Amino acid sequence: MLAAPAQRIVTLAPSLAELAFAAGAGGRLVGVARFSDFPPAARGIPQVGDAARVDFERIVALKPDLVLAWKSGNSAADVARLESLGYRTFVSEPARLADVPGLLHAIGALAGTLPAAGKAAAEFEREIRALRGRYAQARTVRVFYQIWHRPLLTVNGAHMISDVIALCGGENVFADLAQLTPNVSLEAVIAARPEVVLGGGSAGGAKEFAERWRQTAVEPLRGLPAFHINPDHIQRQTPRIVEGARAVCAALDEVRRNRR
Protein backbone atom coordinates (compact mmCIF):
# COMPACT_ATOMS: atom_id res chain seq x y z
CA MET A 1 0.00 0.00 0.00
CA LEU A 2 1.02 3.59 -0.53
CA ALA A 3 1.44 6.03 2.35
CA ALA A 4 -1.31 8.14 0.77
CA PRO A 5 -3.67 7.57 -2.18
CA ALA A 6 -1.97 7.91 -5.55
CA GLN A 7 -2.66 11.24 -7.23
CA ARG A 8 -0.60 10.81 -10.42
CA ILE A 9 -0.88 7.41 -12.08
CA VAL A 10 0.73 6.02 -15.24
CA THR A 11 -0.66 2.87 -16.87
CA LEU A 12 1.45 0.71 -19.20
CA ALA A 13 -1.34 -1.16 -21.02
CA PRO A 14 -4.70 -0.09 -22.51
CA SER A 15 -6.50 -2.56 -20.25
CA LEU A 16 -4.97 -0.95 -17.17
CA ALA A 17 -6.14 2.52 -18.18
CA GLU A 18 -9.62 1.09 -18.67
CA LEU A 19 -9.49 -0.62 -15.28
CA ALA A 20 -8.34 2.60 -13.60
CA PHE A 21 -11.33 4.47 -15.03
CA ALA A 22 -13.67 1.65 -13.98
CA ALA A 23 -12.23 1.83 -10.46
CA GLY A 24 -12.95 5.55 -10.25
CA ALA A 25 -9.33 6.60 -10.73
CA GLY A 26 -9.47 7.86 -14.30
CA GLY A 27 -9.04 11.44 -13.16
CA ARG A 28 -5.70 10.49 -11.61
CA LEU A 29 -4.15 9.25 -14.87
CA VAL A 30 -1.32 11.42 -16.17
CA GLY A 31 0.12 8.91 -18.67
CA VAL A 32 -1.18 5.91 -20.58
CA ALA A 33 0.10 3.32 -23.03
CA ARG A 34 -0.40 3.58 -26.77
CA PHE A 35 -3.83 2.36 -27.98
CA SER A 36 -5.51 3.39 -24.71
CA ASP A 37 -8.81 4.38 -26.28
CA PHE A 38 -11.52 3.48 -23.75
CA PRO A 39 -13.24 5.26 -22.24
CA PRO A 40 -12.91 8.13 -24.76
CA ALA A 41 -11.35 10.32 -22.06
CA ALA A 42 -8.27 8.06 -22.13
CA ARG A 43 -7.45 9.23 -25.66
CA GLY A 44 -6.55 12.71 -24.44
CA ILE A 45 -3.99 11.57 -21.86
CA PRO A 46 -0.25 11.77 -22.75
CA GLN A 47 1.15 8.48 -24.06
CA VAL A 48 4.22 6.82 -22.58
CA GLY A 49 4.99 4.17 -25.21
CA ASP A 50 3.76 0.59 -25.36
CA ALA A 51 4.80 -2.95 -24.41
CA ALA A 52 7.65 -2.88 -26.94
CA ARG A 53 9.06 0.47 -25.87
CA VAL A 54 8.43 2.41 -22.66
CA ASP A 55 9.21 6.12 -22.88
CA PHE A 56 11.10 6.56 -19.63
CA GLU A 57 11.86 10.22 -20.24
CA ARG A 58 8.16 10.98 -20.61
CA ILE A 59 7.35 9.04 -17.44
CA VAL A 60 10.00 10.93 -15.47
CA ALA A 61 8.58 14.23 -16.73
CA LEU A 62 5.07 13.21 -15.64
CA LYS A 63 6.23 12.55 -12.04
CA PRO A 64 3.86 9.69 -11.22
CA ASP A 65 3.48 8.38 -7.70
CA LEU A 66 2.18 5.04 -9.03
CA VAL A 67 2.79 2.99 -12.19
CA LEU A 68 0.42 0.17 -13.15
CA ALA A 69 2.13 -2.54 -15.24
CA TRP A 70 0.98 -5.67 -17.06
CA LYS A 71 3.04 -8.75 -16.17
CA SER A 72 2.94 -10.59 -19.50
CA GLY A 73 2.82 -7.44 -21.63
CA ASN A 74 5.54 -5.25 -20.10
CA SER A 75 9.07 -6.55 -19.83
CA ALA A 76 10.44 -7.38 -16.40
CA ALA A 77 13.48 -5.24 -17.27
CA ASP A 78 11.30 -2.17 -17.87
CA VAL A 79 9.47 -2.70 -14.58
CA ALA A 80 12.78 -3.17 -12.75
CA ARG A 81 14.14 0.05 -14.25
CA LEU A 82 11.07 1.99 -13.14
CA GLU A 83 11.48 0.63 -9.63
CA SER A 84 15.19 1.50 -9.66
CA LEU A 85 14.20 5.07 -10.54
CA GLY A 86 12.11 5.13 -7.38
CA TYR A 87 8.63 4.67 -8.85
CA ARG A 88 6.14 2.53 -6.99
CA THR A 89 4.85 -0.10 -9.43
CA PHE A 90 1.89 -2.43 -9.18
CA VAL A 91 2.17 -5.41 -11.54
CA SER A 92 -0.88 -7.53 -12.31
CA GLU A 93 -1.92 -10.42 -14.54
CA PRO A 94 -5.60 -11.36 -14.23
CA ALA A 95 -6.03 -14.86 -15.67
CA ARG A 96 -9.62 -15.64 -14.69
CA LEU A 97 -12.87 -13.73 -14.70
CA ALA A 98 -12.84 -13.97 -10.91
CA ASP A 99 -9.60 -11.92 -10.88
CA VAL A 100 -11.20 -8.78 -12.34
CA PRO A 101 -13.12 -7.69 -9.20
CA GLY A 102 -10.00 -8.14 -7.06
CA LEU A 103 -7.97 -6.00 -9.44
CA LEU A 104 -10.60 -3.28 -9.37
CA HIS A 105 -10.49 -3.32 -5.56
CA ALA A 106 -6.67 -3.20 -5.59
CA ILE A 107 -6.58 -0.17 -7.88
CA GLY A 108 -9.31 1.49 -5.83
CA ALA A 109 -7.29 0.94 -2.66
CA LEU A 110 -4.14 2.42 -4.22
CA ALA A 111 -5.99 5.45 -5.58
CA GLY A 112 -8.30 6.00 -2.64
CA THR A 113 -11.40 5.32 -4.78
CA LEU A 114 -12.64 2.13 -3.11
CA PRO A 115 -16.36 3.06 -3.14
CA ALA A 116 -16.38 3.39 -6.93
CA ALA A 117 -14.15 0.36 -7.36
CA GLY A 118 -16.36 -1.73 -5.10
CA LYS A 119 -19.46 -0.73 -7.04
CA ALA A 120 -17.85 -1.68 -10.36
CA ALA A 121 -16.62 -4.97 -8.94
CA ALA A 122 -20.04 -5.89 -7.56
CA GLU A 123 -21.74 -5.11 -10.88
CA PHE A 124 -19.21 -7.25 -12.76
CA GLU A 125 -19.71 -10.14 -10.36
CA ARG A 126 -23.48 -9.87 -10.68
CA GLU A 127 -23.38 -10.02 -14.48
CA ILE A 128 -20.93 -12.93 -14.58
CA ARG A 129 -22.97 -14.83 -11.99
CA ALA A 130 -26.09 -14.40 -14.13
CA LEU A 131 -24.35 -15.76 -17.23
CA ARG A 132 -22.86 -18.66 -15.27
CA GLY A 133 -26.29 -19.65 -13.98
CA ARG A 134 -27.88 -19.38 -17.40
CA TYR A 135 -25.34 -21.64 -19.13
CA ALA A 136 -24.49 -24.08 -16.34
CA GLN A 137 -26.50 -26.88 -17.98
CA ALA A 138 -25.99 -25.91 -21.63
CA ARG A 139 -24.84 -28.51 -24.14
CA THR A 140 -21.08 -28.36 -24.58
CA VAL A 141 -19.83 -26.84 -27.85
CA ARG A 142 -16.27 -27.46 -29.05
CA VAL A 143 -14.65 -24.08 -29.78
CA PHE A 144 -11.58 -23.00 -31.70
CA TYR A 145 -10.74 -19.42 -30.71
CA GLN A 146 -8.56 -17.49 -33.16
CA ILE A 147 -6.75 -14.42 -31.87
CA TRP A 148 -4.82 -13.85 -35.12
CA HIS A 149 -4.69 -15.40 -38.59
CA ARG A 150 -1.05 -15.03 -39.76
CA PRO A 151 0.33 -16.90 -37.95
CA LEU A 152 -2.72 -18.77 -36.74
CA LEU A 153 -2.82 -18.08 -33.00
CA THR A 154 -5.17 -19.39 -30.34
CA VAL A 155 -5.33 -19.52 -26.52
CA ASN A 156 -4.77 -22.29 -24.02
CA GLY A 157 -6.80 -23.08 -20.92
CA ALA A 158 -4.90 -20.61 -18.74
CA HIS A 159 -6.07 -17.62 -20.79
CA MET A 160 -9.08 -15.58 -19.66
CA ILE A 161 -10.71 -16.10 -23.06
CA SER A 162 -10.81 -19.82 -22.29
CA ASP A 163 -12.57 -18.99 -19.02
CA VAL A 164 -15.16 -17.03 -20.99
CA ILE A 165 -15.70 -19.98 -23.34
CA ALA A 166 -16.26 -22.28 -20.35
CA LEU A 167 -18.66 -19.76 -18.80
CA CYS A 168 -20.84 -20.07 -21.92
CA GLY A 169 -20.81 -23.85 -21.91
CA GLY A 170 -18.03 -24.17 -24.46
CA GLU A 171 -14.90 -26.29 -24.56
CA ASN A 172 -11.64 -24.77 -25.79
CA VAL A 173 -10.20 -27.44 -28.11
CA PHE A 174 -6.64 -26.26 -27.43
CA ALA A 175 -6.96 -25.83 -23.66
CA ASP A 176 -4.26 -28.44 -22.97
CA LEU A 177 -1.45 -26.70 -24.87
CA ALA A 178 1.39 -25.37 -22.72
CA GLN A 179 1.86 -21.91 -24.27
CA LEU A 180 -0.60 -19.17 -23.34
CA THR A 181 -1.12 -18.05 -26.98
CA PRO A 182 0.18 -20.93 -29.12
CA ASN A 183 0.69 -21.00 -32.86
CA VAL A 184 -1.33 -23.88 -34.37
CA SER A 185 -1.60 -25.40 -37.83
CA LEU A 186 -4.75 -25.93 -39.87
CA GLU A 187 -4.06 -29.65 -39.57
CA ALA A 188 -4.18 -29.33 -35.79
CA VAL A 189 -7.48 -27.46 -36.03
CA ILE A 190 -8.93 -30.25 -38.19
CA ALA A 191 -7.76 -32.87 -35.70
CA ALA A 192 -9.29 -30.92 -32.80
CA ARG A 193 -12.77 -31.17 -34.40
CA PRO A 194 -14.22 -27.79 -33.39
CA GLU A 195 -17.91 -27.13 -33.95
CA VAL A 196 -17.39 -23.39 -34.28
CA VAL A 197 -14.66 -20.80 -34.79
CA LEU A 198 -14.73 -17.64 -32.71
CA GLY A 199 -12.30 -14.78 -32.72
CA GLY A 200 -11.34 -11.24 -33.47
CA GLY A 201 -8.05 -11.89 -35.23
CA SER A 202 -8.62 -10.61 -38.76
CA ALA A 203 -7.34 -7.62 -40.65
CA GLY A 204 -10.62 -7.22 -42.51
CA GLY A 205 -13.15 -7.11 -39.68
CA ALA A 206 -16.19 -9.21 -38.89
CA LYS A 207 -17.34 -9.98 -42.45
CA GLU A 208 -13.89 -11.00 -43.63
CA PHE A 209 -13.38 -13.17 -40.56
CA ALA A 210 -16.53 -15.21 -41.16
CA GLU A 211 -16.01 -15.50 -44.92
CA ARG A 212 -12.42 -16.67 -44.50
CA TRP A 213 -13.65 -19.74 -42.63
CA ARG A 214 -16.77 -20.39 -44.69
CA GLN A 215 -14.80 -20.33 -47.94
CA THR A 216 -11.54 -21.89 -46.80
CA ALA A 217 -9.82 -24.20 -49.27
CA VAL A 218 -9.32 -26.73 -46.47
CA GLU A 219 -12.34 -28.94 -47.09
CA PRO A 220 -12.79 -30.41 -43.57
CA LEU A 221 -13.10 -26.84 -42.25
CA ARG A 222 -15.16 -25.36 -45.09
CA GLY A 223 -18.52 -24.12 -43.94
CA LEU A 224 -17.59 -24.24 -40.28
CA PRO A 225 -19.66 -21.64 -38.39
CA ALA A 226 -17.52 -18.61 -37.61
CA PHE A 227 -18.40 -15.62 -35.43
CA HIS A 228 -16.35 -12.45 -35.00
CA ILE A 229 -15.94 -11.22 -31.42
CA ASN A 230 -14.86 -7.63 -30.88
CA PRO A 231 -11.26 -7.98 -29.61
CA ASP A 232 -11.61 -4.98 -27.30
CA HIS A 233 -14.49 -6.77 -25.55
CA ILE A 234 -12.64 -9.99 -24.83
CA GLN A 235 -8.87 -9.55 -25.20
CA ARG A 236 -8.68 -6.83 -22.55
CA GLN A 237 -9.08 -8.10 -18.99
CA THR A 238 -11.53 -5.41 -17.89
CA PRO A 239 -15.21 -5.18 -16.93
CA ARG A 240 -16.06 -4.88 -20.64
CA ILE A 241 -15.21 -8.57 -21.00
CA VAL A 242 -18.83 -9.12 -19.94
CA GLU A 243 -19.80 -7.78 -23.38
CA GLY A 244 -17.42 -10.25 -24.99
CA ALA A 245 -18.87 -13.06 -22.90
CA ARG A 246 -22.40 -12.19 -24.02
CA ALA A 247 -21.25 -12.32 -27.66
CA VAL A 248 -19.55 -15.70 -27.14
CA CYS A 249 -22.61 -17.11 -25.38
CA ALA A 250 -24.89 -15.89 -28.17
CA ALA A 251 -22.67 -17.52 -30.79
CA LEU A 252 -22.67 -20.85 -28.97
CA ASP A 253 -26.45 -20.64 -28.59
CA GLU A 254 -26.75 -20.29 -32.36
CA VAL A 255 -24.58 -23.36 -32.89
CA ARG A 256 -26.75 -25.32 -30.48
CA ARG A 257 -29.93 -24.26 -32.28
CA ASN A 258 -28.53 -25.28 -35.66
CA ARG A 259 -27.33 -28.67 -34.43
CA ARG A 260 -30.70 -29.86 -33.12
Side-chain angles (χ1 to χ4, degrees):
M1 295 296 293
L2 299 173
Q7 300 298 317
R8 300 181 62 81
I9 302 172
V10 165
T11 56
L12 300 184
S15 60
L16 291 169
E18 190 172 327
L19 281 161
F21 272 95
R28 312 284 179 87
L29 297 187
V30 295
V32 298
R34 192 177 171 212
F35 305 120
S36 297
D37 55 8
F38 189 87
R43 299 171 187 165
I45 300 172
Q47 295 186 358
V48 295
D50 53 31
R53 179 184 176 276
V54 173
D55 189 337
F56 290 97
E57 290 185 5
R58 174 64 68 88
I59 292 176
V60 170
L62 292 171
K63 301 178 180 178
D65 49 19
L66 176 66
V67 177
L68 303 180
W70 175 28
K71 185 175 181 180
S72 64
N74 303 124
S75 76
D78 284 346
V79 173
R81 182 176 176 186
L82 287 167
E83 291 176 335
S84 72
L85 291 171
Y87 297 111
R88 174 67 187 273
T89 61
F90 176 77
V91 183
S92 63
E93 184 66 31
R96 288 288 178 265
L97 291 165
D99 296 335
V100 173
L103 188 49
L104 288 167
H105 279 291
I107 294 172
L110 290 166
T113 58
L114 268 175
K119 183 178 179 180
E123 177 64 13
F124 179 83
E125 290 174 321
R126 184 190 67 77
E127 293 179 321
I128 292 298
R129 187 164 54 249
L131 286 172
R132 198 177 303 282
R134 179 176 176 182
Y135 291 96
Q137 304 301 321
R139 181 179 74 79
T140 301
V141 177
R142 293 177 60 79
V143 178
F144 168 57
Y145 196 95
Q146 175 192 310
I147 58 172
W148 195 246
H149 62 297
R150 291 182 182 175
L152 190 59
L153 298 177
T154 187
V155 297
N156 74 358
H159 199 287
M160 192 178 290
I161 290 175
S162 194
D163 204 23
V164 171
I165 291 169
L167 173 75
C168 297
E171 177 186 356
N172 175 5
V173 297
F174 289 112
D176 292 338
L177 296 184
Q179 191 175 348
L180 188 66
T181 56
N183 185 340
V184 295
S185 66
L186 285 173
E187 290 75 16
V189 177
I190 293 169
R193 298 179 293 105
E195 297 175 77
V196 63
V197 178
L198 305 179
S202 172
K207 183 177 179 181
E208 189 271 349
F209 178 85
E211 289 302 313
R212 178 185 294 274
W213 285 99
R214 292 192 185 105
Q215 299 179 9
T216 178
V218 182
E219 188 168 345
L221 299 176
R222 190 179 304 148
L224 196 66
F227 298 88
H228 184 268
I229 309 296
N230 186 331
D232 288 351
H233 293 171
I234 196 166
Q235 292 177 202
R236 295 185 182 184
Q237 302 103 320
T238 75
R240 275 200 302 167
I241 203 167
V242 169
E243 298 178 38
R246 291 195 186 105
V248 169
C249 290
L252 300 195
D253 271 346
E254 186 164 337
V255 173
R256 293 182 184 104
R257 285 193 296 269
N258 293 335
R259 292 295 172 92
R260 285 176 181 173

